[in-house]
């Protein structure tokens, strides 16, 4: 979701300015921002465009959702979302790793999750509140490990991010089996079988039966 809409915004801004970067300009661009952060991390944490792309995507999702559920009974349907970089922001983890010249590692990620310092992404809370207002349920299907689920739920609770169930990874990363649990009513004792009407994510595998071959 993020990459698609930010890409569209970037094309829009370039077209409006009438500027076409030359290959030399792209190749000679520095890999770090003047702040010392890698440019992509600085862009995610500081740019107006990134924030706008998220809000734009969630507003579009709201419009599509309204049309999709106008004739559905409340409590019979759900929206399924990924967590990391879809609903919550882990860019502080990336920034801290870059500052010490390191990248992702399972150990450092585990420590980050335990800190419970992820924050909501722009647009996500408003969208999820709207799902609730329309009568829908919210299923967060994440590839955080089952052992990390409690910390993940704590982040959602701290920031009052609406959800009805969080399904973490048990075994394989593919999410189809967990979506089926939402659909057949086995995801949570408090939820009936639900028709998933929308999937939202930042990875192609956050969508049913999709993979990199869809490019």
């Amino acid at each position: 979701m993020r990459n698609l809409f930010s890409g569209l915004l970037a094309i829009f801004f370039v077209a409006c300015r009438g500027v076409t970067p030359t290959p030399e300009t792209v190749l000679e661009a520095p890999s770090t921002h003047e702040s010392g952060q890698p440019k992509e991390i600085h862009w995610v944490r500081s740019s107006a465009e990134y924030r706008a792309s998220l809000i734009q995507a969630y507003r579009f999702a709201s419009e599509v959702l309204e049309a999709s559920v106008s004739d559905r009974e409340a409590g019979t349907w759900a929206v399924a979302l990924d967590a990391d970089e879809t609903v919550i922001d882990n860019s502080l983890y990336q920034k801290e790793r870059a500052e010490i010249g390191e990248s992702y590692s399972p150990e450092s990620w585990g420590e980050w999750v335990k800190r419970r310092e992820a924050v909501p992404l722009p647009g996500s809370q408003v969208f999820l509140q709207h799902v609730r207002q329309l009568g829908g349920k919210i299923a967060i299907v994440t590839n955080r490990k089952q052992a990390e689920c409690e910390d993940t739920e704590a982040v959602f609770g701290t920031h009052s991010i609406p959800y009805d169930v969080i399904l973490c990874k048990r075994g394989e990363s593919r999410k189809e089996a967990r979506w089926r649990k939402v659909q057949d009513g086995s995801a949570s004792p408090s939820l009936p079988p639900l028709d998933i009407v929308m999937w939202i994510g930042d990875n192609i595998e956050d969508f049913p039966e999709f993979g990199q071959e869809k490019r």
Side-chain angles (χ1 to χ4, degrees):
M1 179 184 68
R2 179 190 66 218
N3 292 340
L4 170 62
F5 279 85
S6 63
L8 290 175
L9 280 173
I11 293 169
F12 175 76
F13 288 135
V14 169
C16 286
R17 291 174 179 161
V19 174
T20 303
T22 64
E24 290 76 16
T25 301
V26 174
L27 289 173
E28 294 176 3
S31 60
T32 58
H33 183 261
E34 59 187 12
S35 66
Q37 299 176 42
K39 289 195 299 181
E40 61 272 22
I41 296 176
H42 178 77
W43 187 80
V44 164
R45 291 181 58 78
S46 305
S47 73
E49 294 91 342
Y50 179 66
R51 181 179 178 83
S53 70
L54 291 167
I55 293 172
Q56 179 190 51
Y58 271 117
R59 285 181 178 174
F60 176 67
S62 290
E63 293 174 6
V64 173
L65 184 64
E66 286 178 5
S68 300
V69 303
S70 59
D71 59 350
R72 290 179 179 269
E73 183 180 350
T76 63
W77 57 272
V79 174
L81 305 94
D82 177 47
D84 297 308
E85 277 51 73
T86 297
V87 177
I88 55 176
D89 173 8
N90 299 284
S91 62
L92 177 59
Y93 166 75
Q94 299 288 350
K95 176 178 180 289
E96 291 177 349
R97 297 298 288 170
E99 286 174 343
I100 61 173
E102 299 288 345
S103 58
Y104 166 87
S105 70
E107 295 76 19
S108 64
W109 174 255
E111 289 302 314
W112 162 256
V113 171
K114 290 177 184 177
R115 285 166 53 183
R116 303 179 175 183
E117 293 183 26
V119 296
L121 283 166
S124 63
Q125 285 175 296
V126 171
F127 173 76
L128 293 175
Q129 290 164 359
H130 193 47
V131 172
R132 282 274 177 84
Q133 291 165 359
L134 292 171
K137 301 296 184 180
I138 300 162
I140 305 298
V141 183
T142 172
N143 277 341
R144 289 187 173 203
K145 298 175 183 177
Q146 184 61 35
E148 298 169 335
C149 238
E150 183 178 347
D151 292 315
T152 306
E153 291 171 351
V155 168
F156 276 67
T158 295
H159 296 286
S160 300
I161 304 172
Y163 74 94
D164 293 287
V165 65
I166 296 180
L167 299 176
C168 294
K169 183 173 69 172
R170 293 178 183 266
E172 68 173 2
S173 297
R174 294 293 303 186
K175 298 181 175 182
E176 276 78 5
R178 282 171 281 167
W179 291 325
R180 284 195 296 272
K181 287 180 177 293
V182 175
Q183 294 166 325
D184 67 21
S186 62
S188 168
S190 63
L191 292 177
L194 298 166
D195 185 14
I196 299 178
V197 299
M198 179 177 285
W199 289 259
I200 297 179
D202 68 320
N203 185 297
I204 194 67
E205 293 185 1
D206 291 327
F207 304 90
E209 300 179 3
F210 273 32
Q212 288 301 321
E213 72 280 358
K214 290 292 182 182
R215 78 185 296 270

